[in-house]
């Protein structure tokens, strides 16, 4: 009988609970013990462990957020704190740790392996869908659904008032939510993170729409490095082009809510495979979705950010928003 642990780290995402549940029950089914670590790597450092049972992970799969809670631990980036965390893992006789999170969380897991040879498996969980090596991260589908629902509502008022709206979605370094939301809501244009803003192009989209009697225009803005970027765009549109607009920042509403069936399915499959991966552990892996199938990849190949710019989708937005 072995003992494993699971934590959720970084920004929470809908479906994390499904992954925890599947991971825990798969290992318990095979006769192993499972601990949950509270508040991500911070809880690992402070030794905040709770033993999980089949019942304690019951009735959580439909809930957003993570019942283990999460954190963005700056301390864990320092080796002296990782040493403390490693001692806590040993105290609890943990044989392997599953980490649900983004590329930053995976770097933390990989450091545990490099420093102490401690077995780790990563499960991609972030609404941003921006980890290299996997086509999908848990929570993305639900976040896009939330954003599209919101844009549909704003479209009603944009039409009623002939207004231009700048709707800001999450994605500090990722374009995925912005591009999919723009496509699914029929937005007139999309502004990507870390890219120069092409104001002439934005203005052209408005003018084109006006010429064929369109009432209102919607631009989806990826937040980029700082939330509130849309207010700068609003100022320039007004001062340089005389165009008035309204800003709506969707913010953390995109991180919450009950996971979609797609997220429940992928998270459950990923949690299941993470547990099975520990049972025949050789080296750190990430559970990923690749070419429509859940499989494993080396953790070392999934430590970077993939900003999710899909050139083909941008082309589609451009052509069908005429
Ligand atoms: O978890 C990803 C994410 O939601 C990004 O889209 C966003 O830029 C960031 O986290 C916000 O982080 P926080 O909630 O910690 O401010």
């Amino acid at each position: 009988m072995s003992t494993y642990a699971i934590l959720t780290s970084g920004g929470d995402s809908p479906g994390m609970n499904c992954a925890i549940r599947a991971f825990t029950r798969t290992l318990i089914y095979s006769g192993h013990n499972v601990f949950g670590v509270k508040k991500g790597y911070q809880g690992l450092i402070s030794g905040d462990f709770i033993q999980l049972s089949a019942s304690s992970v019951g009735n959580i799969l439909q809930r957003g957020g993570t019942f283990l809670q999460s954190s963005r631990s700056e301390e864990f980036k320092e080796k002296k704190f990782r040493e403390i965390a490693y001692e806590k893992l040993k105290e609890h006789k943990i044989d392997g740790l599953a980490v649900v999170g983004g590329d930053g969380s995976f770097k933390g897991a990989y450091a545990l392996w490099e420093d102490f040879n401690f077995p780790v498996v990563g499960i991609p969980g972030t609404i941003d869908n921006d980890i290299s090596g996997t086509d999908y991260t848990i929570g993305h589908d639900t976040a896009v659904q939330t954003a599209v629902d919101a844009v549909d509502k704003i479209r009603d008022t944009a039409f009623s008032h002939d207004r231009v709206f700048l709707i800001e979605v999450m994605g500090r370094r990722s374009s995925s939510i912005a591009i999919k939301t723009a496509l699914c809501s029929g937005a007139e244009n999309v502004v990507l993170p870390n890219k120069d803003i092409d104001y002439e192009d934005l203005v052209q989209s408005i003018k084109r729409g006006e010429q064929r009697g369109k009432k209102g225009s919607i631009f989806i803005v990826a937040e980029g490095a700082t939330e509130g970027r849309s207010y700068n765009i609003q100022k320039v549109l007004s001062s340089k082009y005389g165009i008035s607009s309204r800003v709506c920042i969707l913010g953390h509403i995109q991180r919450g809510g009950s996971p979609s069936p797609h997220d429940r399915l992928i998270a459950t499959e990923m949690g299941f495979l993470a547990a099975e991966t520990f049972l025949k552990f050789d080296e750190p892996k990430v559970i990923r979705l690749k070419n429509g199938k859940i499989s494993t990849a080396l953790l070392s190949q999934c430590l970077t950010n993939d900003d999710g710019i899909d050139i083909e989708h941008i082309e589609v937005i451009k052509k069908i928003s005429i």
Side-chain angles (χ1 to χ4, degrees):
M1 188 205 277
S2 303
T3 302
Y4 299 96
I6 183 163
L7 61 79
T8 47
S9 164
D12 62 347
S13 66
M16 281 182 162
N17 284 328
C18 306
I20 298 168
R21 172 178 173 271
F23 178 81
T24 304
R25 290 201 175 160
T26 306
L27 288 166
I28 290 175
Y29 177 88
S30 303
H32 302 289
N33 291 317
V34 185
F35 280 87
V37 182
K38 303 277 297 202
K39 299 200 174 164
Y41 289 118
Q42 266 327 107
L44 205 56
I45 295 166
S46 62
D48 199 352
F49 290 57
I50 49 166
Q51 181 143 17
L52 300 177
S53 65
S55 307
S56 65
V57 295
N59 201 17
I60 61 169
L61 99 163
Q62 75 280 24
R63 298 201 187 138
T66 156
F67 95 109
L68 290 175
Q69 300 188 280
S70 190
S71 66
R72 297 187 193 276
S73 174
E74 283 305 312
E75 287 184 345
F76 200 73
K77 291 179 183 161
E78 291 180 47
K79 184 154 184 197
K80 65 176 185 203
F81 287 104
R82 290 201 295 276
E83 266 160 7
I84 298 171
Y86 176 61
E87 288 308 318
K88 303 284 182 204
L89 285 164
K90 283 205 304 193
E91 266 170 39
H92 288 81
K93 304 195 174 5
I94 308 290
D95 298 299
L97 174 71
V99 171
V100 192
D103 58 309
S105 308
F106 286 1
K107 284 190 184 102
Y110 199 63
L112 266 182
W113 169 256
E114 285 197 314
D115 293 346
F116 314 106
N117 238 11
F118 193 81
V120 287
V121 168
I123 302 175
T126 158
I127 63 164
D128 287 348
N129 200 27
D130 63 345
I131 305 178
S132 59
T134 179
D135 293 342
Y136 191 73
T137 62
I138 296 166
H140 182 63
D141 182 65
T142 310
V144 171
Q145 171 83 58
T146 303
V148 170
D149 284 349
V151 179
D152 286 349
K153 292 188 170 78
I154 294 168
R155 175 73 77 181
D156 292 343
T157 176
F159 172 85
S160 302
H161 292 268
D162 277 348
R163 266 183 188 149
V164 173
F165 266 91
L166 303 166
I167 305 177
E168 189 167 301
V169 297
M170 275 191 165
R172 202 174 278 158
R173 294 172 299 161
S174 162
S175 309
S176 276
I177 296 179
I179 290 177
K180 286 183 191 148
T181 303
L183 261 179
C184 297
S185 62
E188 276 64 33
N189 215 322
V190 58
V191 178
L192 301 179
N194 312 319
K195 290 255 173 293
D196 290 340
I197 297 162
D198 186 347
Y199 284 98
E200 298 296 330
D201 189 50
L202 292 181
V203 172
Q204 273 313 309
S205 325
I206 299 170
K207 296 257 159 71
R208 217 171 32 227
E210 281 173 357
Q211 272 161 18
R212 67 173 181 86
K214 225 181 207 181
K215 307 278 184 208
S217 285
I218 290 197
F219 297 150
I220 305 297
V221 179
E223 68 182 343
T226 44
E227 186 185 280
R229 186 185 186 208
S230 302
Y231 287 111
N232 296 333
I233 302 176
Q234 183 186 40
K235 273 193 205 124
V236 177
L237 285 178
S238 166
S239 60
K240 199 159 165 209
Y241 301 95
I243 293 170
S244 135
S245 60
R246 294 286 192 278
V247 169
C248 179
I249 297 179
L250 300 186
H252 289 79
I253 190 172
Q254 295 158 97
R255 286 242 295 260
S258 183
S260 67
H262 182 72
D263 276 320
R264 294 181 196 199
L265 186 70
I266 300 283
T268 300
E269 288 187 87
M270 285 185 169
F272 173 79
L273 186 56
E276 299 268 305
T277 301
F278 273 127
L279 300 182
K280 44 183 180 343
F281 186 85
D282 49 8
E283 56 185 319
K285 300 271 172 55
V286 162
I287 313 302
R288 63 171 176 177
L289 180 74
K290 201 77 194 165
N291 304 323
K293 287 223 167 343
I294 305 291
S295 58
T296 58
L298 291 177
L299 176 58
S300 55
Q301 288 170 2
C302 304
L303 298 175
T304 52
N305 171 267
D306 170 357
D307 80 359
I309 294 191
D310 182 339
I311 302 293
E312 284 155 23
H313 279 164
I314 293 173
E315 184 75 8
V316 176
I317 295 167
K318 210 178 173 65
K319 288 188 176 164
I320 68 174
S321 64
I322 51 171

